[in-house]
Amino acid sequence: MFCTQQPRSAHGFPLFLLILRRAGVLARLLMCSILLLMMTVISGKVSEAQAAGSSAGKHRPAASGAKGRKRVVRKKAAATTARAPARARRRGRGAATATAAAAAGATGAATATANSPQANAKPELLARCGFTAASQRHIFSRGVYVLDEQTNTPLYERNADTVAPIASVTKLMTAIVWLDQKTLPMGNRLEVTEDDLDTLKFTHSRLNVGASLSRADMLHIALMSSENRAAAAMSRDYPGGRPAFIAAMNARAQAMGMPHTHFENATGLSPDNVSTPRELAELVKAANRYQLIRNDSLDKQKIINIGRGQLQYINSNRLIRYGQVNATVQKTGFINESGHNMVLRLLVHDRRPVIVTMLGSGSADGSRLDGVRIAKWLNCSLN
């Protein structure tokens, strides 16, 4: 066989082995360079992810910020220390807490705005609650005034400044003037006399001449059942007599800012006892300040001791008698010249006072239905 002599290096190694050795060194250098380049690229991406995660903690919801940081931690774990993921997680939790606090603050601010007085500064009756032009045409009373007492905002008006007879709504002023006496023993008895009979309309009464009632009972049935002879006896039982009492009623009306209101007697049987729906709202406000007026006008029934027996009286207002509305003060009235009248101080949702005055319905049912309709408007429209 023929053998070929292999080239040798100066050190005696075969030349191809020397070449392979040097090639291995170059390969290792190349691999190190590639590894270093990969680490540099990964480090750059990790830094970008950290910057993005920091921004997300400020501007994105807490959940997405937390997830972003978890991905960053996985990529960074192979090339960074163990403390970096913990710091990233802490920053994520801080960002989530800050975001949640900001959301809670925004919700609280929105709630405060909704519940602030400005949000309810201008209440109104709403069409979706039945307050439409068509439903307004079904109101029977000729004069109506609805006042939100909380904001002093008129919610509905119909002929609110038209002067008209008010009939037994008068008895609210009768009660106010009578109770304003400095000393008034309510337990003392008051007797019905000939001077208390109605010589204007010749109306009938269950209180006969000679009947004796306590002052408290006189006030009670005058307000609850609109008993005319009781109101007449009260006006007579006044320092200076009945003329002084009527003068005091008119003076009180002027002091209350009711320039178009006038009284001729304490019962309301005179058609010259007049006012307007708007001015009667002031009378209702004033009457509501008296505990006895509130209690007596809302009582549903009472048995009265008249000295020679007993009489049972019921409330003349069917809205109150059957619990159809929640009110703090009420009074009804009727004479032919006035039609059927009603005034109420309603509590909408058992807390919000609204005054309703209605004059001139053609029937008692019409006045009652007006009260029901207006109460429904109010309960739906107001908070």
Side-chain angles (χ1 to χ4, degrees):
M1 295 181 64
F2 294 96
C3 294
T4 305
Q5 184 71 27
Q6 298 293 326
R8 293 181 176 270
S9 65
H11 299 285
F13 288 101
L15 184 59
F16 80 95
L17 292 176
L18 183 61
I19 293 172
L20 288 176
R21 183 178 179 182
R22 291 179 178 175
V25 172
L26 291 174
R28 285 194 295 273
L29 290 174
L30 181 60
M31 290 178 64
C32 289
S33 299
I34 293 173
L35 181 60
L36 181 62
L37 179 61
M38 290 177 63
M39 292 180 66
T40 302
V41 171
I42 291 173
S43 177
K45 289 185 178 181
V46 167
S47 299
E48 291 177 2
Q50 287 179 337
S54 177
S55 300
K58 297 179 182 178
H59 302 293
R60 291 186 305 187
S64 64
K67 291 180 181 178
R69 282 164 178 73
K70 289 180 181 178
R71 287 195 294 269
V72 171
V73 170
R74 293 193 192 100
K75 291 181 180 179
K76 193 176 178 182
T80 60
T81 63
R83 290 183 297 174
R87 287 198 297 269
R89 286 194 294 271
R90 285 197 294 271
R91 285 197 296 269
R93 287 195 294 270
T97 303
T99 304
T107 303
T111 303
T113 301
N115 294 330
S116 64
Q118 290 80 0
N120 298 323
K122 293 183 179 179
E124 59 180 353
L125 300 180
L126 306 175
R128 65 176 176 82
C129 296
F131 183 69
T132 62
S135 66
Q136 292 173 47
R137 287 194 293 269
H138 288 91
I139 293 293
F140 296 97
S141 300
R142 292 191 293 269
V144 181
Y145 186 63
V146 180
L147 177 71
D148 176 43
E149 191 174 336
Q150 181 172 303
T151 61
N152 202 37
T153 303
L155 301 176
Y156 177 60
E157 302 179 33
R158 172 189 281 185
N159 301 320
D161 296 311
T162 300
V163 178
I166 62 174
S168 286
V169 175
T170 295
K171 292 184 177 72
L172 288 180
M173 183 64 84
T174 300
I176 289 172
V177 172
W178 200 59
L179 289 173
D180 280 346
Q181 299 177 70
K182 299 300 182 183
T183 56
L184 188 64
M186 298 298 287
N188 288 8
R189 301 189 77 80
L190 185 60
E191 186 175 321
V192 177
T193 69
E194 294 279 349
D195 291 337
D196 302 325
L197 302 182
D198 172 25
T199 58
L200 183 63
K201 299 287 187 180
F202 299 100
T203 55
H204 176 69
S205 172
R206 297 166 66 195
L207 285 181
N208 296 323
V209 173
S212 175
L213 288 74
S214 68
R215 285 191 172 95
D217 285 344
M218 285 284 192
L219 176 67
H220 201 124
I221 61 176
L223 291 170
M224 182 183 74
S225 300
S226 208
E227 173 56 68
N228 290 315
R229 288 184 186 173
M234 290 164 59
S235 66
R236 178 174 49 82
D237 180 44
Y238 188 80
R242 193 166 287 149
F245 189 86
I246 304 305
M249 291 175 68
N250 286 307
R252 185 61 186 271
Q254 295 302 308
M256 288 164 53
M258 302 169 65
H260 301 98
T261 301
H262 179 76
F263 300 101
E264 283 290 325
N265 61 26
T267 62
L269 291 170
S270 171
D272 293 327
N273 282 25
V274 296
S275 187
T276 69
R278 191 187 306 275
E279 291 185 5
L280 286 178
E282 298 301 319
L283 177 59
V284 173
K285 286 182 188 177
N288 186 67
R289 300 187 187 106
Y290 294 78
Q291 183 69 48
L292 278 176
I293 297 178
R294 294 198 300 269
N295 292 346
D296 292 349
S297 70
L298 296 178
D299 201 4
K300 295 182 179 180
Q301 63 178 358
K302 186 173 178 63
I303 296 176
I304 302 296
N305 184 345
I306 61 172
R308 292 174 295 181
Q310 293 180 332
L311 293 175
Q312 183 176 19
Y313 285 86
I314 62 174
N315 201 304
S316 60
N317 189 334
R318 286 186 292 171
L319 290 180
I320 303 300
R321 191 162 75 239
Y322 299 127
Q324 291 183 280
V325 296
N326 184 9
T328 64
V329 168
Q330 71 81 28
K331 190 68 194 77
T332 59
F334 169 77
I335 56 175
N336 290 332
E337 293 86 347
S338 71
H340 291 266
N341 305 330
M342 184 187 299
V343 298
L344 299 158
R345 184 179 183 268
L346 299 176
L347 286 181
V348 179
H349 304 304
D350 298 330
R351 67 180 184 276
R352 183 166 187 159
V354 177
I355 295 174
V356 180
T357 62
M358 303 175 289
L359 299 179
S361 171
S363 67
D365 276 336
S367 186
R368 179 181 61 83
L369 291 172
D370 287 349
V372 171
R373 186 184 300 273
I374 292 172
K376 287 181 178 179
W377 290 346
L378 294 169
N379 283 314
C380 176
S381 299
L382 301 183
N383 295 323

Short mmCIF file of all heavy atoms in Angstrom, two decimals, residues 27-61:
data_model
loop_
_atom_site.label_atom_id
_atom_site.label_comp_id
_atom_site.label_asym_id
_atom_site.label_seq_id
_atom_site.Cartn_x
_atom_site.Cartn_y
_atom_site.Cartn_z
N ALA A 27 -15.65 28.78 16.96
CA ALA A 27 -17.07 28.42 17.17
C ALA A 27 -17.53 28.83 18.55
O ALA A 27 -18.64 29.34 18.76
CB ALA A 27 -17.26 26.92 16.97
N ARG A 28 -16.62 28.58 19.55
CA ARG A 28 -17.00 28.97 20.91
C ARG A 28 -17.18 30.49 21.02
O ARG A 28 -18.08 30.99 21.68
CB ARG A 28 -15.97 28.46 21.91
CG ARG A 28 -16.07 26.96 22.16
CD ARG A 28 -15.28 26.57 23.39
NE ARG A 28 -13.83 26.78 23.20
CZ ARG A 28 -13.00 25.89 22.67
NH1 ARG A 28 -13.45 24.71 22.26
NH2 ARG A 28 -11.72 26.16 22.55
N LEU A 29 -16.26 31.21 20.36
CA LEU A 29 -16.38 32.68 20.38
C LEU A 29 -17.68 33.14 19.72
O LEU A 29 -18.36 34.06 20.19
CB LEU A 29 -15.16 33.30 19.67
CG LEU A 29 -13.83 33.20 20.40
CD1 LEU A 29 -12.69 33.73 19.52
CD2 LEU A 29 -13.88 33.99 21.71
N LEU A 30 -18.01 32.47 18.61
CA LEU A 30 -19.25 32.82 17.91
C LEU A 30 -20.48 32.54 18.77
O LEU A 30 -21.41 33.35 18.86
CB LEU A 30 -19.33 32.04 16.59
CG LEU A 30 -20.58 32.31 15.72
CD1 LEU A 30 -20.62 33.79 15.35
CD2 LEU A 30 -20.56 31.44 14.48
N MET A 31 -20.46 31.39 19.42
CA MET A 31 -21.60 31.04 20.29
C MET A 31 -21.72 32.02 21.46
O MET A 31 -22.82 32.43 21.85
CB MET A 31 -21.43 29.59 20.82
CG MET A 31 -21.60 28.53 19.74
SD MET A 31 -21.34 26.87 20.38
CE MET A 31 -22.68 26.76 21.53
N CYS A 32 -20.58 32.39 22.01
CA CYS A 32 -20.61 33.38 23.12
C CYS A 32 -21.17 34.70 22.64
O CYS A 32 -21.93 35.38 23.35
CB CYS A 32 -19.20 33.55 23.70
SG CYS A 32 -18.62 32.12 24.64
N SER A 33 -20.74 35.09 21.42
CA SER A 33 -21.24 36.36 20.87
C SER A 33 -22.76 36.32 20.68
O SER A 33 -23.49 37.26 21.00
CB SER A 33 -20.54 36.66 19.54
OG SER A 33 -19.15 36.79 19.74
N ILE A 34 -23.22 35.19 20.12
CA ILE A 34 -24.68 35.04 19.90
C ILE A 34 -25.43 35.09 21.22
O ILE A 34 -26.46 35.73 21.37
CB ILE A 34 -24.96 33.73 19.14
CG1 ILE A 34 -24.39 33.82 17.71
CG2 ILE A 34 -26.47 33.45 19.11
CD1 ILE A 34 -24.47 32.51 16.95
N LEU A 35 -24.87 34.36 22.25
CA LEU A 35 -25.52 34.34 23.57
C LEU A 35 -25.57 35.73 24.19
O LEU A 35 -26.57 36.15 24.77
CB LEU A 35 -24.77 33.36 24.49
CG LEU A 35 -25.35 33.21 25.90
CD1 LEU A 35 -26.78 32.70 25.83
CD2 LEU A 35 -24.49 32.26 26.73
N LEU A 36 -24.45 36.46 24.07
CA LEU A 36 -24.41 37.83 24.60
C LEU A 36 -25.43 38.72 23.90
O LEU A 36 -26.11 39.54 24.54
CB LEU A 36 -22.99 38.38 24.43
CG LEU A 36 -22.77 39.80 24.97
CD1 LEU A 36 -23.01 39.83 26.47
CD2 LEU A 36 -21.33 40.26 24.68
N LEU A 37 -25.52 38.56 22.57
CA LEU A 37 -26.51 39.35 21.82
C LEU A 37 -27.93 39.04 22.26
O LEU A 37 -28.76 39.94 22.45
CB LEU A 37 -26.34 39.07 20.32
CG LEU A 37 -27.31 39.82 19.39
CD1 LEU A 37 -27.12 41.33 19.53
CD2 LEU A 37 -27.09 39.40 17.95
N MET A 38 -28.21 37.76 22.48
CA MET A 38 -29.56 37.36 22.92
C MET A 38 -29.88 37.93 24.29
O MET A 38 -30.99 38.42 24.55
CB MET A 38 -29.67 35.82 22.95
CG MET A 38 -29.66 35.17 21.57
SD MET A 38 -29.70 33.37 21.67
CE MET A 38 -31.27 33.14 22.47
N MET A 39 -28.90 37.90 25.18
CA MET A 39 -29.11 38.45 26.52
C MET A 39 -29.36 39.96 26.46
O MET A 39 -30.18 40.51 27.20
CB MET A 39 -27.92 38.14 27.42
CG MET A 39 -27.77 36.65 27.76
SD MET A 39 -26.36 36.31 28.81
CE MET A 39 -26.87 37.15 30.30
N THR A 40 -28.63 40.62 25.54
CA THR A 40 -28.82 42.08 25.39
C THR A 40 -30.23 42.38 24.91
O THR A 40 -30.91 43.30 25.40
CB THR A 40 -27.78 42.64 24.41
OG1 THR A 40 -26.47 42.34 24.89
CG2 THR A 40 -27.95 44.15 24.27
N VAL A 41 -30.68 41.61 23.91
CA VAL A 41 -32.03 41.81 23.38
C VAL A 41 -33.09 41.56 24.46
O VAL A 41 -34.04 42.32 24.64
CB VAL A 41 -32.27 40.90 22.16
CG1 VAL A 41 -33.74 40.94 21.74
CG2 VAL A 41 -31.37 41.32 21.01
N ILE A 42 -32.89 40.44 25.22
CA ILE A 42 -33.86 40.11 26.27
C ILE A 42 -33.89 41.20 27.33
O ILE A 42 -34.94 41.61 27.82
CB ILE A 42 -33.52 38.75 26.89
CG1 ILE A 42 -33.77 37.63 25.89
CG2 ILE A 42 -34.33 38.52 28.17
CD1 ILE A 42 -33.29 36.27 26.35
N SER A 43 -32.69 41.69 27.69
CA SER A 43 -32.64 42.76 28.70
C SER A 43 -33.37 44.00 28.24
O SER A 43 -34.09 44.65 29.00
CB SER A 43 -31.17 43.08 29.01
OG SER A 43 -31.08 44.14 29.94
N GLY A 44 -33.22 44.34 26.95
CA GLY A 44 -33.93 45.51 26.41
C GLY A 44 -35.44 45.33 26.46
O GLY A 44 -36.19 46.24 26.82
N LYS A 45 -35.89 44.12 26.10
CA LYS A 45 -37.34 43.87 26.14
C LYS A 45 -37.88 43.92 27.56
O LYS A 45 -39.00 44.39 27.82
CB LYS A 45 -37.64 42.50 25.51
CG LYS A 45 -37.44 42.48 24.00
CD LYS A 45 -37.86 41.16 23.41
CE LYS A 45 -37.71 41.17 21.89
NZ LYS A 45 -38.13 39.89 21.30
N VAL A 46 -37.08 43.39 28.50
CA VAL A 46 -37.51 43.43 29.90
C VAL A 46 -37.66 44.87 30.37
O VAL A 46 -38.63 45.25 31.05
CB VAL A 46 -36.53 42.66 30.80
CG1 VAL A 46 -36.78 42.97 32.29
CG2 VAL A 46 -36.63 41.18 30.54
N SER A 47 -36.72 45.72 30.00
CA SER A 47 -36.80 47.13 30.39
C SER A 47 -38.03 47.80 29.79
O SER A 47 -38.74 48.57 30.46
CB SER A 47 -35.53 47.87 29.94
OG SER A 47 -34.38 47.31 30.55
N GLU A 48 -38.30 47.50 28.52
CA GLU A 48 -39.50 48.08 27.89
C GLU A 48 -40.77 47.60 28.60
O GLU A 48 -41.71 48.36 28.83
CB GLU A 48 -39.54 47.67 26.41
CG GLU A 48 -38.46 48.34 25.58
CD GLU A 48 -38.51 47.85 24.14
OE1 GLU A 48 -39.40 47.04 23.83
OE2 GLU A 48 -37.67 48.30 23.35
N ALA A 49 -40.82 46.31 28.94
CA ALA A 49 -42.00 45.77 29.62
C ALA A 49 -42.20 46.41 30.98
O ALA A 49 -43.32 46.69 31.40
CB ALA A 49 -41.87 44.24 29.76
N GLN A 50 -41.06 46.67 31.69
CA GLN A 50 -41.17 47.33 33.00
C GLN A 50 -41.73 48.73 32.85
O GLN A 50 -42.57 49.17 33.63
CB GLN A 50 -39.80 47.36 33.67
CG GLN A 50 -39.34 46.01 34.20
CD GLN A 50 -37.97 46.10 34.83
OE1 GLN A 50 -37.20 47.02 34.52
NE2 GLN A 50 -37.66 45.14 35.69
N ALA A 51 -41.25 49.45 31.84
CA ALA A 51 -41.76 50.82 31.61
C ALA A 51 -43.23 50.79 31.27
O ALA A 51 -44.03 51.60 31.76
CB ALA A 51 -40.95 51.49 30.50
N ALA A 52 -43.63 49.83 30.40
CA ALA A 52 -45.04 49.73 30.04
C ALA A 52 -45.89 49.35 31.24
O ALA A 52 -46.99 49.86 31.43
CB ALA A 52 -45.22 48.69 28.91
N GLY A 53 -45.36 48.43 32.08
CA GLY A 53 -46.10 48.04 33.27
C GLY A 53 -46.28 49.19 34.23
O GLY A 53 -47.32 49.35 34.85
N SER A 54 -45.25 50.04 34.36
CA SER A 54 -45.37 51.21 35.25
C SER A 54 -46.44 52.16 34.76
O SER A 54 -47.23 52.68 35.54
CB SER A 54 -44.02 51.93 35.32
OG SER A 54 -44.10 53.09 36.09
N SER A 55 -46.52 52.36 33.43
CA SER A 55 -47.57 53.23 32.87
C SER A 55 -48.93 52.60 33.05
O SER A 55 -49.92 53.26 33.35
CB SER A 55 -47.31 53.50 31.38
OG SER A 55 -46.06 54.14 31.23
N ALA A 56 -49.01 51.28 32.87
CA ALA A 56 -50.31 50.61 33.02
C ALA A 56 -50.84 50.73 34.42
O ALA A 56 -52.04 50.82 34.64
CB ALA A 56 -50.18 49.13 32.63
N GLY A 57 -49.95 50.75 35.42
CA GLY A 57 -50.41 50.90 36.78
C GLY A 57 -51.11 52.21 37.02
O GLY A 57 -51.93 52.34 37.91
N LYS A 58 -50.80 53.23 36.19
CA LYS A 58 -51.43 54.54 36.36
C LYS A 58 -52.67 54.69 35.51
O LYS A 58 -53.60 55.37 35.89
CB LYS A 58 -50.44 55.65 36.00
CG LYS A 58 -49.23 55.69 36.91
CD LYS A 58 -48.28 56.80 36.49
CE LYS A 58 -47.03 56.84 37.36
NZ LYS A 58 -46.09 57.88 36.93
N HIS A 59 -52.67 54.09 34.32
CA HIS A 59 -53.71 54.41 33.36
C HIS A 59 -54.64 53.25 33.03
O HIS A 59 -55.64 53.46 32.39
CB HIS A 59 -53.09 54.90 32.05
CG HIS A 59 -52.21 56.10 32.24
ND1 HIS A 59 -52.69 57.33 32.62
CD2 HIS A 59 -50.86 56.24 32.16
CE1 HIS A 59 -51.70 58.19 32.73
NE2 HIS A 59 -50.58 57.56 32.47
N ARG A 60 -54.28 52.02 33.41
CA ARG A 60 -55.13 50.89 33.06
C ARG A 60 -55.74 50.30 34.31
O ARG A 60 -55.25 50.50 35.41
CB ARG A 60 -54.32 49.80 32.31
CG ARG A 60 -53.88 50.27 30.93
CD ARG A 60 -53.24 49.15 30.17
NE ARG A 60 -52.11 48.56 30.91
CZ ARG A 60 -51.31 47.65 30.39
NH1 ARG A 60 -51.50 47.21 29.18
NH2 ARG A 60 -50.30 47.16 31.11
N PRO A 61 -56.84 49.55 34.16
CA PRO A 61 -57.44 48.87 35.32
C PRO A 61 -56.42 48.00 36.03
O PRO A 61 -55.46 47.51 35.44
CB PRO A 61 -58.57 48.04 34.72
CG PRO A 61 -58.87 48.73 33.42
CD PRO A 61 -57.57 49.31 32.94
#
